[in-house]
Amino acid sequence: MNILPKPFRIDVAEGSFAFRSDAKVATDIPVIASLFGGADAASPVRFVKGDTEWDYVLRITPKGVTALAATDEGLFHAAVTLLQLAGEAGETDLPACTVYDKPRYAYRAGMIDVCRHFFDVDTVKKLIDSMALFKFNHLHFHLSDDQGFRLRIDALPKLHQVGSERKGTCGDGKPTGGYYTKAQIKEIVDYAAERYIEIVPEIDLPGHTRAIVAAYPELSCSGKPTEVASWFGIHSKILCTGKEKVYEALDVIFREMSEMFPCKLFHLGGDEVAKLEWAKCPDCAAVYKREGLKNLEELQGYFTNKAINILKKYGKTPVLWNEALKSDVLDESAVVQYWTTDRASAERVAKAVCEEGRRVVMSRCNPYYLDYPCGTHSLKAMYMLEPAEELGKSAEAGILGVECPLWTEHISETEELFRHFYPRALAVAEAGWSAPGKDYADFEERLKGVLFLLDRRDVPYIPVAECNPGKIKSALQTAAFGLKMQRGCDPSSARNWRSMSLKQPKF
Ligand SMILES: [Zn+2]
């Protein structure tokens, strides 16, 4: 049966039920009715709330279909399973069976970067709508980076007036920009909630903040004016750790964002922090000396924990990219998102899980980053990654879930955005939901059987036949991607990159 992600258990019985996906179903949940032909209490296809230990139970008998779940979300999951079973024709004899299903992980996410390129509300909603069909339940929304700040914060209006616009992209000389109003964010959050998806907002701190610093230069170490970055890579103009007004600004941003985003999780970034300016700054030096710090990682740790303490006032749980663990002082409440591929980081994350009880989201760059071409991160490689293996058996209990991030340095068109996301993200949807155990041929078969759901919604995707290129094509795609990345980087990027591992300040 073509169900993706693969359900926990299917018990097959005798007989079948003739089902049309455009027939009405008995439900009082509008989004479920909208997946079929509408609602009718007399329909033999019924969605019923009731006690069960499963996320949902879907029972098909010759007389009808009954979906049972303790929550509306469980019933929605049953509905998308039924929709997949109905198949492309939308009309089929469903084999009598009972599907018992539950997710492996509580957190199943995709991420989009709307900073490097901005995508409008309709595109974000289309992504959410399609993700929900595969039981994703979070969308990580990367809203602030060197190349753009994408929110309206009323008390800091320059963030959108200045921080959301840049003069061009990689030398093309074409001004570009965009931001979401509060009404638009509400529209996105509500639309996602109807589909049981929560939006995890991210303000990347303290690195990747050149757009913030362009809007308010006084928040940087030098205080000198700068522009929103129009090249990619690592930038050194970032927030100062020693100026109180930086933390006051964060308080304003977190307060307004907490009103916009009801999700308990709130991403604070923490990756790729160039430390050049800190090492020369008298305000950073004052903190360093006052706090008795031993290196610049500890200075980042000081900054991050101060930001976390502000965030806690608004009842949020911080999430940070795994570099934030390097300080050894990261607040114990923080969830860590593992993305780097080096052994030392994996060991550090595993240690944090085992010894500190920290929870972790698995999104190893290789192969989960969707901006890479299939030749670098193939569908098969994404499917075959077993999230629990990376950190070792003893860390397995700390895994909150999985996420596939889509960075958009070199993705500016909506069609490209979706083609990078699908169908590879569905390998991650399965890793997040289904019990361990891999069978790629079976996965690919089921995948082909559910892609009609994307066709119906005009969601572009890469044909499955192109998702696992051979050696030569892969090498060519990898080389072309590497060149594109390199050519898109700011000239100062290599120097700034090296400064990320700068240990001792000059003061
Ligand atoms: Zn400073």
Side-chain angles (χ1 to χ4, degrees):
M1 285 183 224
N2 293 329
I3 307 173
L4 195 155
K6 188 178 183 174
F8 192 87
R9 190 176 117 202
I10 304 175
D11 289 354
V12 179
E14 290 287 313
S16 63
F17 175 72
F19 178 70
R20 287 176 58 95
S21 62
D22 61 356
K24 290 183 173 160
V25 298
T27 179
D28 52 7
I29 301 170
V31 72
I32 292 180
S34 77
L35 291 174
F36 301 98
D40 175 3
S43 169
V45 180
R46 302 183 311 130
F47 290 84
V48 183
K49 277 269 272 291
D51 269 353
T52 169
E53 63 192 292
W54 299 92
D55 180 68
Y56 69 87
V57 178
L58 183 67
R59 182 162 286 127
I60 300 165
T61 71
K63 288 183 177 165
V65 177
T66 307
L68 173 74
T71 63
D72 290 359
E73 183 181 6
L75 290 176
F76 181 77
H77 293 151
V80 297
T81 295
L82 183 60
L83 200 61
Q84 293 182 354
L85 281 174
E88 190 167 2
E91 182 176 2
T92 190
D93 285 331
L94 295 174
C97 65
T98 305
V99 180
Y100 299 92
D101 210 356
K102 61 177 181 183
R104 181 180 184 188
Y105 295 121
Y107 182 92
R108 306 175 301 277
M111 187 212 86
I112 49 165
D113 165 11
V114 291
C115 302
R116 274 56 178 270
H117 284 96
F118 181 71
F119 292 91
D120 65 14
V121 173
D122 285 345
T123 302
V124 178
K125 282 164 73 175
K126 189 169 174 171
L127 183 65
I128 290 166
D129 184 56
S130 52
M131 285 170 71
L133 299 170
F134 304 98
K135 304 186 178 89
F136 278 110
N137 65 351
H138 287 84
L139 175 64
H140 172 179
F141 210 15
H142 185 79
L143 289 161
S144 171
D145 213 301
D146 300 308
Q147 294 78 13
F149 188 91
R150 302 300 181 205
L151 279 180
R152 183 190 164 103
I153 301 293
D154 294 335
L156 293 168
K158 284 188 196 164
L159 286 176
H160 72 276
Q161 290 163 354
V162 175
S164 76
E165 301 285 331
R166 64 174 182 256
K167 285 184 173 169
T169 307
C170 301
D172 70 0
K174 291 182 198 157
T176 182
Y179 68 93
Y180 305 103
T181 64
K182 288 192 169 173
Q184 287 174 325
I185 291 294
K186 183 169 167 36
E187 190 181 338
I188 290 169
V189 167
D190 289 351
Y191 186 85
E194 277 172 25
R195 286 153 185 80
Y196 308 96
I197 289 179
E198 289 194 276
I199 308 288
V200 183
E202 179 184 356
I203 298 296
D204 199 347
L205 302 169
H208 287 292
T209 46
R210 189 158 150 188
I212 296 176
V213 166
Y216 294 98
E218 63 270 31
L219 303 181
S220 70
C221 290
S222 72
K224 287 181 191 156
T226 187
E227 289 178 346
V228 176
S230 53
W231 292 83
F232 303 116
I234 309 291
H235 292 263
S236 63
K237 293 191 169 55
I238 64 169
L239 296 176
C240 178
T241 66
K243 295 185 172 73
E244 266 317 297
K245 54 189 150 196
V246 169
Y247 303 102
E248 287 160 18
L250 293 184
D251 199 337
V252 167
I253 293 170
F254 295 168
R255 189 184 68 230
E256 292 198 24
M257 284 180 69
S258 296
E259 288 162 9
M260 288 184 242
F261 296 97
C263 184
K264 183 104 176 135
L265 298 172
F266 193 118
H267 209 302
L268 293 177
D271 61 320
E272 299 181 332
V273 182
K275 299 177 175 72
L276 278 179
E277 299 219 336
W278 290 357
K280 296 182 283 189
C281 168
D283 295 309
C284 287
V287 170
Y288 195 89
K289 285 168 192 160
R290 187 187 74 218
E291 301 289 324
L293 304 180
K294 294 189 288 296
N295 56 56
L296 289 170
E297 292 297 348
E298 287 191 356
L299 188 58
Q300 184 177 337
Y302 164 86
F303 176 95
T304 303
N305 286 347
K306 215 165 148 148
I308 287 174
N309 279 328
I310 299 166
L311 188 65
K312 279 183 182 172
K313 287 200 297 186
Y314 305 106
K316 301 294 185 187
T317 300
V319 188
L320 285 122
W321 299 105
N322 64 266
E323 289 101 310
L325 282 176
K326 281 188 182 174
S327 68
D328 283 330
V329 297
L330 181 64
D331 188 275
E332 60 185 13
S333 68
V335 173
V336 165
Q337 181 162 6
Y338 173 70
W339 75 279
T340 56
T341 52
D342 59 295
R343 210 51 239 157
S345 294
E347 282 166 13
R348 197 177 290 118
V349 173
K351 189 166 169 269
V353 170
C354 297
E355 292 178 13
E356 302 164 21
R358 207 179 279 283
R359 290 174 306 159
V360 57
V361 170
M362 301 301 285
S363 60
R364 194 185 200 275
C365 162
N366 182 359
Y368 274 10
Y369 275 24
L370 293 166
D371 44 319
Y372 286 68
C374 292
T376 313
H377 297 176
S378 71
L379 174 65
K380 188 172 182 182
M382 291 186 77
Y383 173 77
M384 293 308 290
L385 183 83
E386 165 47 51
E389 265 171 24
E390 184 72 8
L391 303 180
K393 272 274 166 220
S394 51
E396 196 172 345
I399 297 177
L400 187 62
V402 292
E403 179 180 310
C404 45
L406 177 47
W407 302 100
T408 60
E409 281 95 336
H410 302 285
I411 298 171
S412 57
E413 301 296 329
T414 303
E415 176 160 355
E416 267 180 292
L417 183 84
F418 283 105
R419 279 172 58 89
H420 275 269
F421 203 83
Y422 292 117
R424 289 180 295 170
L426 302 186
V428 180
E430 176 129 330
W433 183 278
S434 306
K438 303 283 184 189
D439 179 345
Y440 180 73
D442 170 68
F443 167 75
E444 195 181 290
E445 201 56 37
R446 284 183 288 112
L447 175 65
K448 287 175 182 162
V450 298
L451 287 173
F452 72 90
L453 289 172
L454 297 179
D455 293 327
R456 254 182 216 168
R457 285 163 173 76
D458 288 325
V459 173
Y461 57 88
I462 298 175
V464 174
E466 294 169 29
C467 289
N468 300 304
K471 269 190 183 166
I472 296 173
K473 252 192 187 158
S474 293
L476 290 171
Q477 285 182 14
T478 301
F481 182 74
L483 200 62
K484 201 160 62 172
M485 290 289 270
Q486 202 181 354
R487 285 188 177 156
C489 277
D490 191 87
S492 66
S493 199
R495 179 200 66 186
N496 297 336
W497 180 272
R498 284 193 299 277
S499 82
M500 278 166 31
S501 51
L502 191 62
K503 294 268 182 287
Q504 302 303 331
K506 287 180 184 153
F507 40 79

